[in-house]
Amino acid sequence: MTNISFYVLKGDTEYDRQVFACRLASKAYHQGKHIYIHTQDAEQAEQFNQLLWSFRADSFIPHQLVDTNNESPVLIGHDTSPPRLMDLLINLNTEQPLFFSQFDRVAECINDDDEIKAAGRQRYQFYQQRGYELSSHKI
């Protein structure tokens, strides 16, 4: 069954939430995991794509936006399910994707933005009501 972790961040900026997601992706990539980052829309996907190139000067994480190739160990998308089985879903969307249960692990990134917190609470209840193993981490 999928393990779901909620990471509760201080601050209320989208940038901080995305930087934390970059750190999670980096850690998982260096552990040999395949990662799918699910964003809200094409604009956020492109922002995350750019940030993953630059968030840490001494790091390289091979990644790409979902397209027809999809060979990278880290994929970024917003309106489709991942094209292949992957290990970790990092969800930056305000809703849980329908395909979340095909992952071993889901990481939900929550910050102090009122809309993000409210949507995070709804996702927490959704997962909890369906019996998923949940954990919360204050960062």
Side-chain angles (χ1 to χ4, degrees):
M1 183 174 258
T2 302
N3 291 322
I4 301 167
S5 298
F6 281 78
Y7 294 92
V8 183
L9 313 171
K10 293 182 180 179
D12 60 0
T13 68
E14 181 60 27
Y15 176 78
D16 290 339
R17 206 164 75 102
Q18 289 187 17
V19 167
F20 181 76
C22 286
R23 290 176 34 215
L24 278 178
S26 176
K27 182 176 179 180
Y29 167 72
H30 290 293
Q31 292 173 345
K33 307 292 184 191
H34 289 93
I35 303 119
Y36 182 74
I37 294 104
H38 186 63
T39 62
Q40 191 73 30
D41 53 32
E43 181 181 347
Q44 188 184 43
E46 184 55 43
Q47 287 172 350
F48 194 84
N49 181 44
Q50 294 303 315
L51 185 59
L52 207 48
W53 285 116
S54 62
F55 88 102
R56 188 178 293 153
D58 62 341
S59 176
F60 172 70
I61 302 166
H63 66 280
Q64 70 182 79
L65 296 170
V66 172
D67 64 13
T68 57
N69 183 7
N70 301 317
E71 295 297 321
S72 179
V74 179
L75 298 175
I76 305 164
H78 63 91
D79 63 352
T80 61
S81 61
R84 64 180 193 279
L85 288 177
M86 302 186 87
D87 303 304
L88 171 64
L89 166 66
I90 298 175
N91 188 26
L92 294 174
N93 198 308
T94 55
E95 297 179 8
Q96 73 280 349
L98 297 175
F99 51 81
F100 75 91
S101 63
Q102 76 183 44
F103 291 84
D104 293 333
R105 195 164 160 246
V106 174
E108 294 277 0
C109 301
I110 310 296
N111 65 9
D112 273 338
D113 178 273
D114 289 338
E115 289 180 36
I116 299 294
K117 282 194 300 190
R121 286 184 189 110
Q122 289 178 346
R123 290 192 309 279
Y124 190 93
Q125 289 175 344
F126 173 87
Y127 297 132
Q128 188 178 49
Q129 290 169 354
R130 284 152 183 82
Y132 286 92
E133 184 177 329
L134 302 171
S135 61
S136 294
H137 311 277
K138 290 189 179 189
I139 306 298

